[in-house]
Amino acid sequence: MKSVAVTLLASTCWTMALPAWGQDIVPPDVMTLSPTGVNLSDGSFIYNQTDLKIGSLSLERFATGGPLHDDYIMPFGYHSGNNFDIYVKERETTSKYPPRRVYRGIVHIGNSAVATYDLVFAVSPTFISPNNDDAFSGILEQSGGVYIFTDQAGTVYTFDGASNGLQNIANIVYANGRKLTFTSNASNHTRLITSSDGYAIVLQYSGSFISGACGFDLAQTYVSSATTCTGATLK
């Protein structure tokens, strides 16, 4: 099936080299933090902690707060999530000039919304175009109703194709070939993360909140979506 993609050309051919003062200088995003962890640029609070690590996998918990953070998924409490909070969220809004109904696709990875795209559903497949500068950091496309995001490092994020306006991560393939596979429970919460290099993390829930986590070496223990942390050595 055809897919539509938006990207930024990596290079442009010139007949002569530009002087240094004539070239675009794009500074990296820098957060100025206060001693207590407040981002002075947007007033958000940032706290990070690694709760669990096994092999190449780690569960990193964070707390963020502020007007620029998406609070949809809160598995550790209000504005508190983890590095496996990865999804594409479709959001309906109204533009100002001219006033009309528009749709946005927000790519959320870990503790931030990494890119926002304009979505046009009136054509098939969905037409996708950058809404902000961050959207040029990768390519968002849709194939068969499934969102696929590729970042600058060549990491490919494939989502689950759900049609309710929110697609959770299904798998991640890194440029070196390592693959993470995500399995959800009946409530559509990530239950199991499996790495192709032989490790897994199981998440347990109390309602919508994570109540426990444990790690397994797949060379020693068989793990499935039904596995619990009872008796696990690493938790």
Side-chain angles (χ1 to χ4, degrees), residues 213-234:
C214 50
F216 295 93
D217 182 342
L218 298 180
Q220 300 178 8
T221 307
Y222 171 78
V223 175
S224 72
S225 59
T227 301
T228 69
C229 291
T230 302
T233 302
L234 181 62

Side-chain angles (χ1 to χ4, degrees), residues 4 49 108 125 142 160 227:
V4 61
Q49 177 174 308
H108 186 109
Q142 191 183 69
D160 63 11
T227 301

Side-chain angles (χ1 to χ4, degrees), residues 8-158:
L8 181 67
L9 295 178
S11 61
T12 303
C13 296
W14 297 89
T15 56
M16 62 181 294
L18 287 174
W21 52 264
Q23 300 178 20
D24 289 334
I25 299 176
V26 182
D29 292 335
V30 177
M31 292 188 297
T32 303
L33 299 180
S34 74
T36 56
V38 175
N39 182 357
L40 300 180
S41 66
D42 64 11
S44 63
F45 173 78
I46 302 172
Y47 171 80
N48 295 277
Q49 177 174 308
T50 299
D51 285 341
L52 181 69
K53 182 173 178 61
I54 182 167
S56 60
L57 287 177
S58 62
L59 176 63
E60 300 170 14
R61 179 163 48 100
F62 54 80
T64 60
L68 300 184
H69 293 280
D70 190 340
D71 61 1
Y72 178 79
I73 292 186
M74 302 171 288
F76 280 111
Y78 189 70
H79 274 198
S80 299
N82 65 81
N83 55 311
F84 298 127
D85 292 343
I86 305 172
Y87 56 90
V88 174
K89 182 180 181 181
E90 297 172 355
R91 174 174 290 171
E92 181 181 347
T93 185
T94 301
S95 64
K96 292 183 178 179
Y97 304 106
R100 59 189 175 91
R101 180 182 300 174
V102 295
Y103 295 89
R104 308 274 190 252
I106 301 171
V107 180
H108 186 109
I109 299 176
N111 65 355
S112 65
V114 298
T116 301
Y117 296 85
D118 290 324
L119 307 176
V120 179
F121 296 122
V123 296
S124 181
T126 300
F127 181 76
I128 303 173
S129 60
N131 176 264
N132 60 11
D133 289 343
D134 290 340
F136 290 105
S137 66
I139 303 168
L140 181 66
E141 55 189 337
Q142 191 183 69
S143 179
V146 175
Y147 283 112
I148 301 170
F149 179 74
T150 306
D151 69 15
Q152 289 179 323
T155 302
V156 180
Y157 299 79
T158 301

